[in-house]
Amino acid sequence: MQLRDDTVLEIACAHALPGQDVFDAVLGTASRALHCALLEGRRGLACPGGKLLEARQQAAPAVISLPLELGARRQGAFCLLREDSDRALNELDFEILDALAGQAALALAAACQRSALNRLEASLNAIGPQTH
């Protein structure tokens, strides 16, 4: 998931729909955890019913959402849904997830830069060579 200045969420909010209502309707039990990652920039953990869990609890979250920093105007989230949420996660699990989220952020940022370069190249090619 990525947030940019032209996202559906921002357009929906402009039409007087609160952001949390949009998250709840579209994302179900993952909405509160994703809200933490996307809008607050912190790890979001939720139980199978979608209720947020405290990070310091020895919990076994069904939803884990980590923020992705993709640049000044873009944010994202790395979200995992666990079917078998009986096992509590330990600090090593979170270190691994943080590393995966970091790698995902780098890959997404590189893809966004590549896409921007392709658009720039296409617009320069459309202009054609300048003659004096």
Side-chain angles (χ1 to χ4, degrees), residues 16 27 38 50 59 71 83 119 132:
L27 302 170
L38 286 170
E83 287 185 22
R119 285 192 306 272
H132 293 68

Side-chain angles (χ1 to χ4, degrees), residues 50-61:
K51 182 180 176 187
L52 285 179
L53 302 170
E54 293 294 323
R56 57 187 172 275
Q57 289 177 330
Q58 283 294 81

Side-chain angles (χ1 to χ4, degrees), residues 38-132:
L38 286 170
L39 302 177
E40 298 173 17
R42 65 182 178 92
R43 183 184 295 152
L45 307 173
C47 70
K51 182 180 176 187
L52 285 179
L53 302 170
E54 293 294 323
R56 57 187 172 275
Q57 289 177 330
Q58 283 294 81
V63 179
I64 304 159
S65 185
L66 304 164
L68 300 179
E69 296 298 325
L70 303 174
R73 300 179 68 188
R74 295 185 189 168
Q75 297 175 357
F78 184 75
C79 186
L80 297 137
L81 306 175
R82 299 174 65 210
E83 287 185 22
D84 179 23
S85 59
D86 294 336
R87 186 178 77 78
L89 299 179
N90 60 38
E91 201 53 43
L92 179 60
D93 293 324
F94 285 115
E95 286 179 29
I96 292 168
L97 291 173
D98 288 339
L100 286 172
Q103 291 297 309
L106 288 173
L108 285 170
C112 289
Q113 289 174 351
R114 180 71 180 157
S115 178
L117 285 173
N118 287 341
R119 285 192 306 272
L120 177 61
E121 181 182 19
S123 66
L124 291 174
N125 287 336
I127 294 172
Q130 298 292 325
T131 58
H132 293 68

